[in-house]
Amino acid sequence: MSKSLVIVESPAKARTIKKYLGGDYDVRASVGHVIDLPKSELGVDVDNGFEPKYVTIKGKTKVLQELKSASKKVEHIFLATDLDREGEAIAWHLQNFLGGAQPHVKRIIFNEITQRAIQEAIANPSDVDQHKVDAQQARRILDRLVGYLVSPVLWQVFYYGLSAGRVQSVALRLICEREREIRAFVPQEFWSITALLHTAEAGARDFEARLRSWKGDKADLKSQEQADAVLVALQRAKFKVANVEVKEKRRNPYPPFITSTLQQDAARRLRFSAKKTMMLAQQLYEGVELGSEGPVGLITYMRTDSTRLSDQARGEGIAYVRSQLGEDYLATTQRTFKQGKSVQDAHEAIRPTAAERTPEQLKRHLTPDQMALYDLVWRRYLASLMSSAVYRTTTADIEAGDAIFRATGSELQFDGFMRIYPDVREKEDSEGVLPALAVGQALSLREIVPKQHFTEPPPRYTEATLIKELEERGIGRPSTYATIVSTIREREYVLKEGGRFTPTALGMEVWEALEKAFPSIFEVDFTARMETELDKVETGEDNWRKVVGDFYSPFSKVLEALKSDPAALKGLLDHGSEIICDKCGATMMKKWGRNGPFLACPNYPKCRNTKSLEGESEVVKLGKPCPQCGSEMIKKRGRYGEFGACPNYPTCKYTEPLSIGIACPRGCGGHMAQKRSARGRIFYGCSRYPACDFAAWDKPTGEKYSACGVGDLVEKNTKSKGIFKKCPACKEEFVD
């Protein structure tokens, strides 16, 4: 009989830990949260100190019963859930279910799943951190209050089923406000003048210099006329070197990854979404089968805001760099990296659990995506311990009459950390090396080129830049970034086009309604302050009920004001039109329904006249020709959801289901598309039907589960668990 019971969240994590603990330990998984607020009601008693009502999550009764039964057969129970607020809350719920804070129920935490870390945690158990539990409980209650009390406002303005979130709505705000900037932007014309110059030395290559100043002032050419005037004056000018400055420039390595920078770099370098990055990181953390070694945890915990490395990890990394690259590649002093103002520094940066476990050694055991992410983590960790890259930069000012041109060049002298972690800017900086130049040296003009430019609007957010913006503004925390981004996409408030987020018409108007109805609740600084207050709860500086109360008091007043003025609520998004109702003569209003915007008579219910809004809804092009007439296909929405259609309807009536971006598993050349059954239930079928009749109820992901090597992961969405992934072959589940 086992003497101790260890409870973790996932089966994969349980397998890895079991390997290190042996037969005296029974290691079981709760499979995520087991207890939560009810789905069918608010679940928070706002009149009684915001007391939460907790219930067993649907489908978890059997899991709890099995854990209860196992707990009666052991002397000690160790709660080994993740070391963030979510993990602490799961441990707290399990502790209460298994008998409360009894001496034999203890909490253990570890930053990596290795034999040393697990055994050290078992030897040093502690109690559940109530402050951390309170912080998570406060966050959960705040999010529930906003979600359950604001969403009905959107239902009245738009249609039933829309939802709002405390933090997600602020992310939507950032995207919508950026879109407003872009739409309001007025380009300004300006001109540049570039000279292509040559020295008299044999073999020297031509180089470019750009006009920097004109008649003693900064060159600021606003029109072609101004540029032409400069060109005329330069026709007989003699070009000579006025000044040369050579400097050594050092580029320091980046710090090891924290959650946000891992998501940002994976997006830039690997084109991974934040959600995918965290799923892969979870797999690497919990353990991957390495042949005869069995399951091994390959990286440390992936939800962290600290760039700190332990002395042991630092020593291992230094030893590896010294042995493989030499002493010159090691930093001469121990680096300290700048931390953000809201950093909690609870545990280490994200790093490999063993420096000597190279990506090449693991390649045959990992999926391509796992391999790519592990390689990124491994290289970034080692690079943070290495010497700086050294460049030789040259700046030359070239005189030509009343004009001063400037030429710059940069050449890599020593690659340093970039030997391990190549910088995407390395190639750019290594190009443009200037020839040897001396003050007073005459130069020949090969060509002088004027070029018209226009100022550009601020760019739309990518997933990486949005996460960076959220982090810099103090919105959300490491465990929430991926969820924030994926939620606003799943609600169809934003589209990702060309790697950048564009708000949909629905997203723009949802934010417009929230902005009018709750001007302060979804204010960026207010949301950031709430995150700081939650951090204070975790450190014991503040009481969670007070923090929730300070939020709820002004929030409830806004809600009451909206309820007492139905006309103002209805008017949040009613836009007038110039179209007259042909039944009663009133001016029709723009409204929203499940199928998009439409015109409705304001005299409803006396007059129920409605009209479609042709041309008002945004046109989303699909980038593919219609097979029947060749026109570019567009996205349309009908009563059963979105579909691809020819824009020439009714002349051409071709339609097709939209691809979900996954090839048919049968390899028939078709793609998987979302469809609806005769009873309206969503399923996924091959676009080549009836030539290929492959179909499935669960959404394919196109990913194979590496642990069993058999199943293709599918995405499921249940009320009890939300959205998660599952392997049909071995039944393993993954929750982001």
Side-chain angles (χ1 to χ4, degrees), residues 4-31:
S4 301
L5 172 66
V6 179
I7 305 176
V8 298
E9 297 104 312
S10 81
K13 188 175 178 181
R15 285 193 295 271
T16 308
I17 292 176
K18 176 66 175 175
K19 181 183 99 169
Y20 297 125
L21 291 179
D24 287 340
Y25 292 84
D26 181 10
V27 186
R28 296 181 178 243
S30 68
V31 196

Side-chain angles (χ1 to χ4, degrees), residues 138-297:
R139 175 185 289 279
R140 185 75 183 93
I141 290 172
L142 286 171
D143 291 344
R144 173 55 65 96
L145 290 173
V146 172
Y148 269 59
L149 299 179
V150 173
S151 295
V153 174
L154 295 180
W155 300 346
Q156 294 184 59
V157 177
F158 296 92
Y159 54 86
Y160 180 81
L162 291 183
S163 58
R166 182 179 63 88
V167 181
Q168 293 92 332
S169 295
V170 178
L172 175 63
R173 172 181 189 154
L174 294 175
I175 293 171
C176 290
E177 288 184 342
R178 176 61 56 88
E179 191 67 21
R180 288 175 181 172
E181 289 181 62
I182 293 170
R183 293 178 184 180
F185 182 79
V186 178
Q188 301 294 319
E189 180 184 9
F190 69 98
W191 286 72
S192 67
I193 296 178
T194 303
L196 183 63
L197 301 170
H198 182 71
T199 67
E201 294 181 15
R205 69 186 185 91
D206 296 348
F207 66 96
E208 291 184 347
R210 190 162 179 168
L211 180 66
R212 179 176 176 81
S213 67
W214 175 248
K215 294 183 178 180
D217 296 323
K218 180 181 177 182
D220 189 15
L221 309 179
K222 300 293 188 182
S223 66
Q224 184 173 355
E225 290 73 17
Q226 292 178 344
D228 287 343
V230 174
L231 292 173
V232 170
L234 290 173
Q235 284 180 352
R236 297 183 180 181
K238 301 295 183 180
F239 286 77
K240 68 176 181 178
V241 180
N243 184 54
V244 178
E245 186 175 13
V246 179
K247 288 183 178 180
E248 183 180 271
K249 175 185 172 184
R250 291 179 176 269
R251 175 171 294 163
N252 295 325
Y254 301 102
F257 282 129
I258 59 177
T259 304
S260 61
T261 54
L262 174 64
Q263 293 171 356
Q264 291 166 40
D265 232 32
R268 278 191 291 261
R269 293 173 180 251
L270 306 177
R271 299 293 186 264
F272 288 173
S273 68
K275 186 175 180 180
K276 179 175 181 176
T277 297
M278 295 309 289
M279 181 192 75
L280 293 168
Q282 184 92 30
Q283 294 168 9
L284 295 174
Y285 165 70
E286 292 182 344
V288 176
E289 292 284 343
L290 299 185
S292 59
E293 280 192 78
V296 176

Side-chain angles (χ1 to χ4, degrees), residues 517-578:
F518 304 95
S520 61
I521 300 302
F522 298 114
E523 202 265 329
V524 173
D525 291 340
F526 177 80
T527 305
R529 287 196 301 272
M530 287 305 305
E531 295 290 356
T532 302
E533 293 303 312
L534 291 173
D535 291 343
K536 289 181 179 179
V537 173
E538 181 168 344
T539 58
E541 298 175 57
D542 218 335
N543 178 273
W544 76 266
R545 295 181 193 271
K546 177 182 178 299
V547 169
V548 175
D550 289 345
F551 172 88
Y552 185 73
S553 179
F555 177 58
S556 60
K557 290 177 182 177
V558 174
L559 284 171
E560 287 301 319
L562 286 171
K563 290 179 182 177
S564 63
D565 190 358
L569 181 62
K570 286 290 186 181
L572 282 176
L573 213 67
D574 278 345
H575 298 303
S577 71
E578 298 179 355

Side-chain angles (χ1 to χ4, degrees), residues 37-52:
L37 299 175
K39 293 273 188 182
S40 57
E41 57 181 293
L42 181 62
V44 179
D45 189 346
V46 296
D47 298 320
N48 186 28
F50 305 99
E51 189 66 27

